[in-house]
mmCIF file of all heavy atoms in Angstrom:
data_model
loop_
_atom_site.group_PDB
_atom_site.id
_atom_site.type_symbol
_atom_site.label_atom_id
_atom_site.label_comp_id
_atom_site.label_asym_id
_atom_site.label_seq_id
_atom_site.Cartn_x
_atom_site.Cartn_y
_atom_site.Cartn_z
ATOM 1 N N THR A 22 62.115 86.720 48.019
ATOM 2 C CA THR A 22 62.883 86.336 49.209
ATOM 3 C C THR A 22 62.682 84.859 49.528
ATOM 4 O O THR A 22 63.615 84.065 49.519
ATOM 5 C CB THR A 22 62.482 87.194 50.424
ATOM 6 O OG1 THR A 22 62.763 88.568 50.148
ATOM 7 C CG2 THR A 22 63.251 86.773 51.665
ATOM 8 N N GLY A 23 61.444 84.488 49.806
ATOM 9 C CA GLY A 23 61.149 83.108 50.180
ATOM 10 C C GLY A 23 61.423 82.111 49.075
ATOM 11 O O GLY A 23 61.878 80.990 49.334
ATOM 12 N N GLY A 24 61.160 82.520 47.833
ATOM 13 C CA GLY A 24 61.423 81.613 46.723
ATOM 14 C C GLY A 24 62.898 81.304 46.569
ATOM 15 O O GLY A 24 63.288 80.160 46.295
ATOM 16 N N VAL A 25 63.741 82.319 46.750
ATOM 17 C CA VAL A 25 65.190 82.110 46.671
ATOM 18 C C VAL A 25 65.649 81.188 47.802
ATOM 19 O O VAL A 25 66.345 80.192 47.571
ATOM 20 C CB VAL A 25 65.936 83.457 46.715
ATOM 21 C CG1 VAL A 25 67.441 83.234 46.842
ATOM 22 C CG2 VAL A 25 65.636 84.286 45.473
ATOM 23 N N LEU A 26 65.268 81.528 49.041
ATOM 24 C CA LEU A 26 65.662 80.699 50.179
ATOM 25 C C LEU A 26 65.190 79.261 50.010
ATOM 26 O O LEU A 26 65.950 78.308 50.193
ATOM 27 C CB LEU A 26 65.082 81.272 51.471
ATOM 28 C CG LEU A 26 65.817 82.424 52.152
ATOM 29 C CD1 LEU A 26 65.028 82.893 53.362
ATOM 30 C CD2 LEU A 26 67.224 82.011 52.559
ATOM 31 N N GLY A 27 63.904 79.103 49.688
ATOM 32 C CA GLY A 27 63.341 77.762 49.564
ATOM 33 C C GLY A 27 63.984 76.953 48.456
ATOM 34 O O GLY A 27 64.194 75.738 48.604
ATOM 35 N N ALA A 28 64.303 77.607 47.342
ATOM 36 C CA ALA A 28 64.926 76.893 46.229
ATOM 37 C C ALA A 28 66.287 76.334 46.627
ATOM 38 O O ALA A 28 66.605 75.171 46.343
ATOM 39 C CB ALA A 28 65.055 77.827 45.024
ATOM 40 N N TYR A 29 67.106 77.157 47.295
ATOM 41 C CA TYR A 29 68.419 76.680 47.740
ATOM 42 C C TYR A 29 68.282 75.554 48.760
ATOM 43 O O TYR A 29 69.011 74.555 48.705
ATOM 44 C CB TYR A 29 69.234 77.828 48.318
ATOM 45 C CG TYR A 29 69.886 78.700 47.290
ATOM 46 C CD1 TYR A 29 69.310 79.906 46.902
ATOM 47 C CD2 TYR A 29 71.082 78.329 46.674
ATOM 48 C CE1 TYR A 29 69.892 80.713 45.944
ATOM 49 C CE2 TYR A 29 71.684 79.127 45.721
ATOM 50 C CZ TYR A 29 71.078 80.312 45.354
ATOM 51 O OH TYR A 29 71.664 81.113 44.396
ATOM 52 N N LEU A 30 67.362 75.714 49.692
ATOM 53 C CA LEU A 30 67.172 74.687 50.722
ATOM 54 C C LEU A 30 66.683 73.379 50.101
ATOM 55 O O LEU A 30 67.136 72.288 50.472
ATOM 56 C CB LEU A 30 66.185 75.181 51.776
ATOM 57 C CG LEU A 30 66.697 76.290 52.701
ATOM 58 C CD1 LEU A 30 65.545 76.922 53.469
ATOM 59 C CD2 LEU A 30 67.754 75.746 53.675
ATOM 60 N N ALA A 31 65.745 73.466 49.157
ATOM 61 C CA ALA A 31 65.225 72.259 48.513
ATOM 62 C C ALA A 31 66.285 71.595 47.645
ATOM 63 O O ALA A 31 66.404 70.362 47.628
ATOM 64 C CB ALA A 31 63.994 72.609 47.679
ATOM 65 N N LYS A 32 67.055 72.397 46.927
ATOM 66 C CA LYS A 32 68.116 71.853 46.080
ATOM 67 C C LYS A 32 69.124 71.065 46.908
ATOM 68 O O LYS A 32 69.690 70.058 46.444
ATOM 69 C CB LYS A 32 68.821 72.991 45.333
ATOM 70 C CG LYS A 32 69.896 72.547 44.339
ATOM 71 C CD LYS A 32 70.420 73.750 43.570
ATOM 72 C CE LYS A 32 71.424 73.335 42.495
ATOM 73 N NZ LYS A 32 72.709 72.898 43.069
ATOM 74 N N ALA A 33 69.341 71.488 48.152
ATOM 75 C CA ALA A 33 70.295 70.810 49.028
ATOM 76 C C ALA A 33 69.696 69.570 49.690
ATOM 77 O O ALA A 33 70.377 68.907 50.472
ATOM 78 C CB ALA A 33 70.790 71.771 50.097
ATOM 79 N N GLY A 34 68.435 69.266 49.386
ATOM 80 C CA GLY A 34 67.828 68.043 49.894
ATOM 81 C C GLY A 34 66.993 68.204 51.142
ATOM 82 O O GLY A 34 66.552 67.207 51.732
ATOM 83 N N ASN A 35 66.746 69.427 51.577
ATOM 84 C CA ASN A 35 65.913 69.644 52.756
ATOM 85 C C ASN A 35 64.431 69.440 52.436
ATOM 86 O O ASN A 35 64.002 69.547 51.284
ATOM 87 C CB ASN A 35 66.131 71.059 53.292
ATOM 88 C CG ASN A 35 67.532 71.268 53.830
ATOM 89 O OD1 ASN A 35 67.879 70.783 54.903
ATOM 90 N ND2 ASN A 35 68.360 71.961 53.061
ATOM 91 N N ASP A 36 63.657 69.153 53.462
ATOM 92 C CA ASP A 36 62.210 68.978 53.346
ATOM 93 C C ASP A 36 61.570 70.367 53.353
ATOM 94 O O ASP A 36 61.473 71.015 54.394
ATOM 95 C CB ASP A 36 61.707 68.142 54.525
ATOM 96 C CG ASP A 36 60.219 67.826 54.445
ATOM 97 O OD1 ASP A 36 59.483 68.533 53.727
ATOM 98 O OD2 ASP A 36 59.779 66.875 55.119
ATOM 99 N N VAL A 37 61.135 70.832 52.181
ATOM 100 C CA VAL A 37 60.640 72.195 52.025
ATOM 101 C C VAL A 37 59.229 72.178 51.440
ATOM 102 O O VAL A 37 58.971 71.478 50.459
ATOM 103 C CB VAL A 37 61.557 73.016 51.091
ATOM 104 C CG1 VAL A 37 60.990 74.415 50.876
ATOM 105 C CG2 VAL A 37 62.971 73.095 51.667
ATOM 106 N N THR A 38 58.340 72.949 52.038
ATOM 107 C CA THR A 38 57.013 73.179 51.466
ATOM 108 C C THR A 38 56.878 74.654 51.136
ATOM 109 O O THR A 38 57.050 75.512 52.012
ATOM 110 C CB THR A 38 55.897 72.762 52.435
ATOM 111 O OG1 THR A 38 56.027 71.377 52.765
ATOM 112 C CG2 THR A 38 54.528 72.994 51.793
ATOM 113 N N PHE A 39 56.589 74.954 49.884
ATOM 114 C CA PHE A 39 56.403 76.329 49.438
ATOM 115 C C PHE A 39 54.938 76.714 49.616
ATOM 116 O O PHE A 39 54.046 76.026 49.109
ATOM 117 C CB PHE A 39 56.793 76.480 47.966
ATOM 118 C CG PHE A 39 58.257 76.265 47.687
ATOM 119 C CD1 PHE A 39 58.743 75.000 47.365
ATOM 120 C CD2 PHE A 39 59.151 77.323 47.750
ATOM 121 C CE1 PHE A 39 60.093 74.804 47.103
ATOM 122 C CE2 PHE A 39 60.501 77.137 47.483
ATOM 123 C CZ PHE A 39 60.977 75.874 47.170
ATOM 124 N N LEU A 40 54.695 77.802 50.327
ATOM 125 C CA LEU A 40 53.343 78.308 50.502
ATOM 126 C C LEU A 40 53.185 79.510 49.590
ATOM 127 O O LEU A 40 53.883 80.520 49.730
ATOM 128 C CB LEU A 40 53.091 78.690 51.959
ATOM 129 C CG LEU A 40 53.425 77.602 53.000
ATOM 130 C CD1 LEU A 40 53.018 78.059 54.397
ATOM 131 C CD2 LEU A 40 52.764 76.279 52.655
ATOM 132 N N ALA A 41 52.287 79.403 48.636
ATOM 133 C CA ALA A 41 52.121 80.439 47.617
ATOM 134 C C ALA A 41 50.644 80.515 47.253
ATOM 135 O O ALA A 41 49.788 79.930 47.902
ATOM 136 C CB ALA A 41 52.991 80.120 46.396
ATOM 137 N N ARG A 42 50.349 81.260 46.181
ATOM 138 C CA ARG A 42 48.962 81.398 45.760
ATOM 139 C C ARG A 42 48.903 81.730 44.276
ATOM 140 O O ARG A 42 49.912 82.090 43.668
ATOM 141 C CB ARG A 42 48.262 82.487 46.580
ATOM 142 C CG ARG A 42 48.904 83.856 46.488
ATOM 143 C CD ARG A 42 48.336 84.791 47.546
ATOM 144 N NE ARG A 42 49.023 86.085 47.543
ATOM 145 C CZ ARG A 42 48.912 86.987 48.519
ATOM 146 N NH1 ARG A 42 48.134 86.740 49.561
ATOM 147 N NH2 ARG A 42 49.560 88.127 48.439
ATOM 148 N N GLY A 43 47.717 81.613 43.712
ATOM 149 C CA GLY A 43 47.474 82.020 42.337
ATOM 150 C C GLY A 43 48.258 81.242 41.300
ATOM 151 O O GLY A 43 48.588 80.069 41.472
ATOM 152 N N LYS A 44 48.592 81.927 40.214
ATOM 153 C CA LYS A 44 49.291 81.294 39.093
ATOM 154 C C LYS A 44 50.695 80.846 39.475
ATOM 155 O O LYS A 44 51.205 79.864 38.909
ATOM 156 C CB LYS A 44 49.348 82.260 37.907
ATOM 157 C CG LYS A 44 47.986 82.547 37.292
ATOM 158 C CD LYS A 44 48.111 83.462 36.075
ATOM 159 C CE LYS A 44 46.731 83.715 35.453
ATOM 160 N NZ LYS A 44 46.827 84.614 34.259
ATOM 161 N N HIS A 45 51.307 81.562 40.427
ATOM 162 C CA HIS A 45 52.642 81.164 40.878
ATOM 163 C C HIS A 45 52.588 79.784 41.528
ATOM 164 O O HIS A 45 53.417 78.916 41.237
ATOM 165 C CB HIS A 45 53.167 82.209 41.865
ATOM 166 C CG HIS A 45 54.612 82.075 42.224
ATOM 167 N ND1 HIS A 45 55.619 81.883 41.291
ATOM 168 C CD2 HIS A 45 55.243 82.106 43.440
ATOM 169 C CE1 HIS A 45 56.788 81.813 41.901
ATOM 170 N NE2 HIS A 45 56.583 81.939 43.198
ATOM 171 N N LEU A 46 51.598 79.566 42.376
ATOM 172 C CA LEU A 46 51.424 78.255 43.013
ATOM 173 C C LEU A 46 51.121 77.184 41.969
ATOM 174 O O LEU A 46 51.689 76.081 42.025
ATOM 175 C CB LEU A 46 50.299 78.331 44.047
ATOM 176 C CG LEU A 46 49.882 77.001 44.693
ATOM 177 C CD1 LEU A 46 51.054 76.338 45.398
ATOM 178 C CD2 LEU A 46 48.719 77.219 45.655
ATOM 179 N N GLU A 47 50.245 77.479 41.027
ATOM 180 C CA GLU A 47 49.898 76.503 39.990
ATOM 181 C C GLU A 47 51.142 76.076 39.213
ATOM 182 O O GLU A 47 51.342 74.886 38.936
ATOM 183 C CB GLU A 47 48.866 77.091 39.034
ATOM 184 C CG GLU A 47 47.497 77.348 39.668
ATOM 185 C CD GLU A 47 46.557 78.052 38.704
ATOM 186 O OE1 GLU A 47 46.906 78.171 37.502
ATOM 187 O OE2 GLU A 47 45.473 78.482 39.143
ATOM 188 N N ALA A 48 51.986 77.043 38.879
ATOM 189 C CA ALA A 48 53.190 76.732 38.105
ATOM 190 C C ALA A 48 54.174 75.903 38.919
ATOM 191 O O ALA A 48 54.805 74.970 38.396
ATOM 192 C CB ALA A 48 53.854 78.026 37.636
ATOM 193 N N ILE A 49 54.324 76.225 40.205
ATOM 194 C CA ILE A 49 55.244 75.456 41.064
ATOM 195 C C ILE A 49 54.770 74.020 41.180
ATOM 196 O O ILE A 49 55.574 73.077 41.114
ATOM 197 C CB ILE A 49 55.347 76.118 42.456
ATOM 198 C CG1 ILE A 49 56.015 77.489 42.359
ATOM 199 C CG2 ILE A 49 56.138 75.228 43.418
ATOM 200 C CD1 ILE A 49 55.986 78.280 43.656
ATOM 201 N N ARG A 50 53.478 73.837 41.346
ATOM 202 C CA ARG A 50 52.935 72.479 41.450
ATOM 203 C C ARG A 50 53.148 71.692 40.160
ATOM 204 O O ARG A 50 53.446 70.501 40.183
ATOM 205 C CB ARG A 50 51.439 72.540 41.766
ATOM 206 C CG ARG A 50 51.119 72.828 43.228
ATOM 207 C CD ARG A 50 49.636 73.076 43.416
ATOM 208 N NE ARG A 50 49.230 72.933 44.812
ATOM 209 C CZ ARG A 50 48.065 73.349 45.293
ATOM 210 N NH1 ARG A 50 47.192 73.953 44.487
ATOM 211 N NH2 ARG A 50 47.767 73.175 46.560
ATOM 212 N N GLU A 51 52.996 72.353 39.035
ATOM 213 C CA GLU A 51 53.065 71.665 37.739
ATOM 214 C C GLU A 51 54.490 71.435 37.275
ATOM 215 O O GLU A 51 54.823 70.348 36.780
ATOM 216 C CB GLU A 51 52.313 72.492 36.690
ATOM 217 C CG GLU A 51 52.307 71.859 35.310
ATOM 218 C CD GLU A 51 51.570 72.700 34.281
ATOM 219 O OE1 GLU A 51 50.866 73.665 34.676
ATOM 220 O OE2 GLU A 51 51.705 72.409 33.070
ATOM 221 N N LYS A 52 55.365 72.453 37.433
ATOM 222 C CA LYS A 52 56.704 72.375 36.833
ATOM 223 C C LYS A 52 57.843 72.552 37.830
ATOM 224 O O LYS A 52 59.005 72.566 37.442
ATOM 225 C CB LYS A 52 56.834 73.430 35.737
ATOM 226 C CG LYS A 52 55.841 73.294 34.598
ATOM 227 C CD LYS A 52 56.011 74.387 33.566
ATOM 228 C CE LYS A 52 55.614 75.745 34.118
ATOM 229 N NZ LYS A 52 55.672 76.820 33.091
ATOM 230 N N GLY A 53 57.514 72.717 39.126
ATOM 231 C CA GLY A 53 58.550 72.999 40.107
ATOM 232 C C GLY A 53 58.878 74.484 40.136
ATOM 233 O O GLY A 53 58.243 75.298 39.467
ATOM 234 N N LEU A 54 59.885 74.841 40.914
ATOM 235 C CA LEU A 54 60.317 76.240 41.032
ATOM 236 C C LEU A 54 61.678 76.398 40.374
ATOM 237 O O LEU A 54 62.631 75.697 40.713
ATOM 238 C CB LEU A 54 60.395 76.659 42.497
ATOM 239 C CG LEU A 54 60.781 78.118 42.745
ATOM 240 C CD1 LEU A 54 59.700 79.056 42.232
ATOM 241 C CD2 LEU A 54 61.023 78.366 44.233
ATOM 242 N N THR A 55 61.769 77.325 39.439
ATOM 243 C CA THR A 55 63.024 77.611 38.736
ATOM 244 C C THR A 55 63.644 78.879 39.302
ATOM 245 O O THR A 55 62.948 79.884 39.489
ATOM 246 C CB THR A 55 62.779 77.784 37.230
ATOM 247 O OG1 THR A 55 62.310 76.541 36.680
ATOM 248 C CG2 THR A 55 64.064 78.188 36.515
#
Side-chain angles (χ1 to χ4, degrees):
T22 299
V25 172
L26 278 176
Y29 280 98
L30 289 166
K32 184 174 184 288
N35 294 286
D36 184 340
V37 177
T38 301
F39 294 91
L40 308 185
R42 58 192 175 194
K44 293 183 179 180
H45 191 47
L46 173 59
E47 293 175 10
I49 294 172
R50 281 172 162 166
E51 181 181 348
K52 300 179 292 184
L54 182 66
T55 296

